[in-house]
Amino acid sequence: MPELPEVEVVRRGLERHVVGRVVADVDVLHPRPVRRHVAGAEDFADRLAGRTLTAARRRGKYLWLPLDSGDALTAHLGMSGQLLVQPATAPDERHLRVRLRLRPEPGTPGVELRFVDQRMFGGLGLSEGGAVLPPEMAHVALDPLDPAFDDAAFARRVRASASGIKRILLNQTVVSGVGNIYADEALWRARLHGERPGRRLSAADVHRVLAACREVMLSALEQGGTSFDALYFNVNGQSGYFDRSLEAYGQEGRPCSRCGTPIRRATFMNRSSFTCPVCQPAPRRSPRRAAGPGGAEGADRTRRTASGGPASRVDEPPTS
DNA sequence: AGGGCAACCTGGGGGC
DNA sequence: TGCCCCCAGGTTGCCC
């Protein structure tokens, strides 16, 4: 599950191994990953052939490689995407979707840039005139590691919002690069429950969770960034960070390392959230009760277990 | 208008 | 043994 650190590791790998190379030709083996290119897979391949990849850039979880044509090759890894640099002789990966053959340099073996993606939530694109910043990414905010990230503006925006802080952290138009895993980790570090409405947080709360986002992402970046020396680089969220350093995400039932209380899993936003019920107390009432006029569905009232069960969570098992 | 949420995908794993 | 359902979650697009 690539979030900012994993994508940044890929960017560095691209910078090192493919920038300056010329695309010889392109095979689109599955149409879905280039679905965003409305002119079709063939046009996508034609526009890349013969072009030089001049840089490797990133915004949030999006990548792009400016071309000498002024266009850009764009990439998003989605949930399961990988960008691999492989010798042309390497056997095809099971989920190989797009192959870019790079023009061989004298005296070196042929190399390919391969987009491999099991689930195909991600994809490649060709952004016209997108070398500086693809318009398709203009809506994406800066990430917290960007020196130009405006902490004060972020705090103002959070504190003006009725949404839960986790939802805000996952909103790429507010802050980019944070996904479900690092959101949970940052909230655990900041001792904040993800359903706490932004407008009920103090400025100190917001700065604390922002600092925590930076800490967890930098920590992951250090660990991931040490392991891609080889020509082959493979990043799909499996950095060592995942095994060693997670305090909350995926730790259901394990004792919180601060207070020993078992970490709890809850369903939120159609996915899992992991929290320490003691360090990260849930907001008192459901975040907003009947925020709007149409609260019919919300009739499912806050479920409360006296013995310290789930404080307030709506658990709806999908109907089968 | 902006927030909330289902759909998009596939393979692995658990349960029966 | 085999099948079926659930689960993972980033982003888009639709609905309210």
Side-chain angles (χ1 to χ4, degrees):
Chain A
M1 297 132 280
E3 302 184 26
L4 183 153
E6 293 76 29
V7 180
E8 174 59 17
V9 169
V10 171
R11 192 200 65 77
R12 293 176 185 179
L14 293 170
E15 191 164 64
R16 173 164 180 168
H17 295 296
V18 308
V19 166
R21 305 292 297 260
V22 178
V23 178
D25 64 278
V26 177
D27 286 344
V28 177
L29 304 174
H30 195 296
R32 182 157 179 83
V34 296
R35 64 194 176 278
R36 312 276 311 262
H37 191 72
V38 289
E42 198 172 330
D43 183 78
F44 173 82
D46 287 347
R47 285 170 186 260
L48 277 170
R51 300 272 66 95
T52 301
L53 306 165
T54 62
R57 306 200 192 285
R58 177 184 63 77
R59 172 160 296 200
K61 303 168 196 168
Y62 287 87
L63 292 164
W64 78 99
L65 297 163
L67 308 175
D68 59 350
S69 61
D71 299 336
L73 171 63
T74 64
H76 196 289
L77 302 179
M79 297 273 309
S80 53
Q82 297 171 272
L83 280 168
L84 308 177
V85 176
Q86 291 276 51
T89 53
D92 288 2
E93 290 75 13
R94 180 165 178 201
H95 301 296
L96 178 61
R97 307 304 187 188
V98 181
R99 180 203 321 275
L100 282 76
R101 289 192 187 83
L102 303 181
R103 184 175 296 171
E105 289 174 352
T108 65
V111 164
E112 299 177 354
L113 176 61
R114 298 181 178 180
F115 182 73
V116 176
D117 191 2
Q118 177 210 124
R119 297 177 62 190
M120 297 185 289
F121 277 35
L124 302 180
L126 201 132
S127 175
E128 246 183 276
V132 173
L133 175 67
E136 298 89 338
M137 303 179 194
H139 67 289
V140 179
L142 297 181
D143 66 67
L145 300 183
D146 192 309
F149 188 86
D150 187 338
D151 290 23
F154 174 75
R156 282 195 299 274
R157 179 135 180 212
V158 170
R159 300 184 68 211
S161 171
S163 294
I165 180 63
K166 179 165 180 181
R167 191 183 291 277
I168 299 171
L169 290 175
L170 295 178
N171 182 344
Q172 304 296 304
T173 68
V174 179
V175 52
S176 71
V178 183
N180 196 45
I181 295 168
Y182 293 119
D184 275 7
E185 291 300 301
L187 288 165
W188 180 88
R189 286 194 180 217
R191 304 182 194 227
L192 292 174
H193 193 285
E195 292 178 33
R196 295 270 301 277
R199 64 183 177 197
R200 300 246 186 98
L201 299 182
S202 67
D205 287 335
V206 179
H207 288 290
R208 205 168 65 249
V209 76
L210 190 52
C213 285
R214 293 188 170 115
E215 288 166 15
V216 294
M217 293 198 297
L218 279 172
S219 165
L221 194 49
E222 278 173 25
Q223 298 183 40
T226 60
S227 61
F228 69 98
D229 251 5
L231 182 62
Y232 172 96
F233 59 97
N234 167 1
V235 173
N236 59 358
Q238 304 292 336
S239 68
Y241 189 75
F242 279 74
D243 296 335
R244 293 180 203 112
S245 307
L246 293 180
E247 298 279 5
Y249 184 85
Q251 307 301 306
E252 183 180 20
R254 302 226 179 100
C256 168
S257 70
R258 278 191 303 245
C259 74
T261 310
I263 297 291
R264 184 174 293 162
R265 173 182 178 274
T267 301
F268 173 61
M269 282 180 73
N270 222 8
R271 61 204 60 191
S272 290
S273 286
F274 298 87
T275 56
C276 169
V278 171
C279 297
Q280 303 166 266
R284 242 167 226 293
R285 303 174 188 164
S286 50
R288 278 170 321 289
R289 36 153 233 211
E297 173 76 25
D300 174 28
R301 31 195 71 85
T302 309
R303 212 176 55 191
R304 210 166 285 178
T305 321
S307 56
S312 68
R313 123 177 157 226
V314 198
D315 233 343
E316 282 187 303
T319 54
S320 56

